[in-house]
Amino acid sequence: MLLFTPGPTPVLESVRQAMATPTIHHRTPEFEAIFAQARASLFELFGMEENVMLAASGTGAMQACILNLCKTKILTINAGKFGERFGKIADALSIPKVELSYEWNTPADPLEVKEALLQNPDIDALAIQVSESAGGLRHPVEAIAKIAKEINPSIMVIVDGITAVGVEPIDTTHIDALIAGSQKAFMLPPGLATIGLSKDAVATIGEGRDYYFNLATEIKNQRKNTTAWTAATTLIIGLNAMFDEVKKNGGIEALYDDTQKRAKATIASLRALGLEIYPQTPALSMSTVIDVQAEDIRKILKSKYQVNIAGGQDHLKGKIFRINQMGIIPAYEIVWVLNAIELALDELGRRVFDGEASRIFNEVYFKGSFS
Ligand SMILES: *Cc1c(COP(=O)(O)O)cnc(C)c1O
């Protein structure tokens, strides 16, 4: 079965092998060396002042950021499940919030963010996704972060990059916390989250808040290549193996280029089949189609062509399907996925199969047309 869900993503063979080695103790020079290597790779990838790894799923890192960076009131952007989650975390922590809501295909408007910040001068943090995975939507994070800092230079800009870090280069100039999670673009099993932090974020954290998610305690320990609590040793070993694979495949820039090309070619191919792309501004992390027969297509893909793609949630349940673009993906796999979609449309009586899906993908991806 080809796993093409936008999280979890497949774990490469070499990474699985690396994680199959015997367990080592986390308070040892051996593990400190492994940790140091992972930390150096993360600093290079994020390009930020500080970085912490947490034994948690992505949501844990989202909560850690709100706990440690927001003291008064938060502005959350809700254009899907994950933006909604920032708001729910604030509610659970009894932190007052202002929420801007959008349909799941609609990017947040920087001017509305500006308006909300001007009307609520007590807002000290803003939380948003780069790529909102619920609808495969790309928010204009860079523009929003810039406007937020113009209005209030000390506002903490918390950015969920769980389906963006490792997918595309992110300008962190105005970002204070950038979150990544292991089971998405990092091509690892779930359980490891990492946060890139700005200099201002580190200062704002101060003594930190919370016990498990006290980022001050983590920073203090991780600067010494250890963690406050037992580290996710196996996943960190896997992380190093993943970075090795990226290097072997031409480096991170090559991965960014390939992801962009693949995502673009996929969208051209889906459109050529007469399918409708759901988000107004598609993220590179996944390709999302809105279709009345989304579930039928998904079922045929799984039962006949060994392809597992994701559906929608909440009001989009049964109405969309999402194809993963995160990670190192061989072209022959995504071509097979598109071919299977074309065959499914034929089976559903929508369109006679003529090989258009792979033809268009190949033209764009390999021949560079429509660029
Ligand atoms: C998957 C995902 C999360 C949540 O991560 P968990 O690991 O499930 O806690 C948060 N934000 C985005 C954008 C995601 O795609």
Side-chain angles (χ1 to χ4, degrees):
M1 184 72 69
L2 283 182
L3 181 61
F4 261 85
T5 55
T9 56
V11 180
L12 297 169
E13 171 70 20
S14 65
V15 178
R16 280 182 277 135
Q17 294 284 352
M19 293 189 300
T21 48
T23 300
I24 61 170
H25 197 280
H26 55 290
R27 306 285 181 208
T28 55
E30 290 89 330
F31 184 69
E32 280 171 23
I34 290 165
F35 192 91
Q37 187 190 332
R39 195 168 145 80
S41 300
L42 290 172
F43 270 84
E44 200 179 322
L45 178 67
F46 281 74
M48 295 180 78
E49 173 79 11
E50 190 48 81
N51 200 291
V52 290
M53 287 175 252
L54 301 173
S57 88
T59 307
M62 293 165 77
Q63 176 158 334
C65 285
I66 295 186
L67 267 166
N68 288 269
L69 295 172
C70 179
K71 294 188 170 72
T72 318
K73 191 193 260 187
I74 192 160
L75 175 62
T76 62
I77 311 293
N78 176 356
K81 287 288 306 169
F82 298 104
E84 177 189 62
R85 189 168 300 178
F86 269 132
K88 286 187 169 174
I89 293 169
D91 291 347
L93 298 173
S94 304
I95 292 172
K97 73 164 195 275
V98 174
E99 182 177 65
L100 287 177
S101 293
Y102 296 90
E103 185 43 62
W104 292 12
N105 66 342
T106 308
D109 182 349
L111 294 178
E112 287 174 17
V113 170
K114 181 178 178 177
E115 199 50 41
L117 292 176
L118 289 173
Q119 280 174 16
N120 298 274
D122 55 340
I123 287 176
D124 63 343
L126 157 76
I128 187 171
Q129 277 58 41
V130 180
S131 153
E132 168 53 81
S133 314
L137 175 75
R138 175 66 157 87
H139 279 303
V141 169
E142 298 82 353
I144 286 171
K146 185 163 181 278
I147 271 191
K149 290 284 184 185
E150 278 165 13
I151 295 166
N152 175 6
S154 65
I155 194 169
M156 287 289 111
V157 177
I158 300 167
V159 174
D160 168 1
I162 292 173
T163 50
V165 178
V167 170
E168 55 171 315
I170 297 162
D171 177 3
T172 57
T173 312
H174 305 290
I175 293 176
D176 295 292
L178 181 60
I179 304 163
S182 55
Q183 82 277 24
K184 307 280 174 81
F186 282 8
M187 302 172 269
L188 291 170
L192 180 72
T194 168
I195 312 171
L197 295 163
S198 71
K199 201 173 176 175
D200 287 350
V202 174
T204 303
I205 287 164
E207 297 299 304
R209 282 219 270 177
D210 198 44
Y211 189 75
Y212 185 74
F213 287 132
N214 187 310
L215 293 182
T217 316
E218 286 300 347
I219 290 169
K220 197 171 113 219
N221 280 277
Q222 298 195 18
R223 282 179 176 164
K224 292 185 278 188
N225 294 316
T226 188
T227 47
W229 327 121
T230 305
T233 48
T234 307
L235 290 167
I236 294 170
I237 289 168
L239 184 65
N240 285 339
M242 183 278 283
F243 278 117
D244 285 347
E245 272 297 331
V246 170
K247 225 172 268 166
K248 241 188 278 166
N249 281 269
I252 193 70
E253 295 298 334
L255 179 57
Y256 292 152
D257 283 353
D258 186 63
T259 306
Q260 189 180 37
K261 224 167 51 165
R262 191 176 353 96
K264 205 187 230 184
T266 300
I267 283 185
S269 169
L270 293 166
R271 284 198 171 125
L273 295 178
L275 294 169
E276 189 186 338
I277 302 302
Y278 176 64
Q280 289 170 18
T281 49
L284 294 173
S285 54
M286 66 197 75
S287 309
T288 306
V289 166
I290 182 156
D291 194 281
V292 285
Q293 288 185 298
E295 277 316 284
D296 298 320
I297 294 169
R298 246 161 48 81
K299 264 185 215 137
I300 295 172
L301 256 55
K302 201 163 180 184
S303 60
K304 272 185 117 162
Y305 303 108
Q306 293 80 50
V307 173
N308 188 0
I309 58 174
Q313 294 164 287
D314 292 2
H315 68 295
L316 290 182
K317 199 168 166 55
K319 296 190 175 145
I320 60 166
F321 63 79
R322 297 172 295 153
I323 306 166
N324 177 53
Q325 299 290 358
M326 292 177 279
I328 297 170
I329 299 175
Y332 57 80
E333 287 190 359
I334 183 73
V335 173
W336 176 252
V337 175
L338 294 165
N339 181 60
I341 291 171
E342 185 175 351
L343 286 164
L345 291 178
D346 182 286
E347 185 173 331
L348 292 168
R350 297 257 299 262
R351 189 185 177 286
V352 177
F353 181 86
D354 61 2
E356 183 77 348
S358 48
R359 188 180 73 79
I360 296 294
F361 181 90
N362 291 339
E363 270 181 7
V364 178
Y365 185 84
F366 291 105
K367 298 285 188 183
S369 331
F370 307 114
S371 57

